[in-house]
Amino acid sequence: MSCDEGKLFVGGLSFDTDEQSLEGVFSKYGQICEVVVVKDRETKRSRGFGFVTFENPEDAKDAMQALNGKVSYRIKYLQSSKCSKWKLNAI
């Protein structure tokens, strides 16, 4: 099983979000392989989106369900050519 099977797209991040803060939100739902906050090349600030990859795809699904309605991020579960879109409401 590839670690990418548990990959989440996380959008709607603030410009101040970094990998550590994003990992802190998601890590309580399972072992994380990788956290990436995509940054602007010039300013080095967040571009407002990133990726969280769990070792276990079920943990990724659990995180989406647990965070639904509790954070202001948009989350998509990336699985093969399909994406299950979850829009999380503002706090």
Side-chain angles (χ1 to χ4, degrees):
M1 172 174 56
S2 167
C3 196
D4 282 347
E5 291 180 28
K7 191 172 208 174
L8 300 174
F9 167 85
V10 184
L13 300 175
S14 93
F15 293 124
D16 297 324
T17 301
D18 60 14
E19 285 84 358
Q20 293 79 20
S21 61
L22 193 57
E23 184 173 4
V25 172
F26 285 88
S27 65
K28 60 182 137 185
Y29 300 100
Q31 188 69 29
I32 294 177
C33 294
E34 181 179 38
V35 177
V36 176
V37 173
V38 178
K39 296 182 178 138
D40 182 275
R41 290 182 192 155
E42 293 180 21
T43 66
K44 307 295 185 217
R45 288 188 342 161
S46 167
R47 290 186 56 202
F49 68 96
F51 301 91
V52 177
T53 307
F54 285 86
E55 285 187 18
N56 181 346
E58 292 302 313
D59 292 339
K61 291 175 186 177
D62 290 344
M64 286 191 310
Q65 291 174 349
L67 294 171
N68 190 21
K70 295 184 173 69
V71 295
S72 59
Y73 309 142
R74 291 183 317 275
I75 299 176
K76 291 182 184 179
Y77 180 67
L78 305 179
Q79 181 180 28
S80 306
S81 60
K82 298 179 182 178
C83 288
S84 297
K85 184 175 180 180
W86 292 71
K87 180 163 178 150
L88 302 181
N89 302 322
I91 296 175

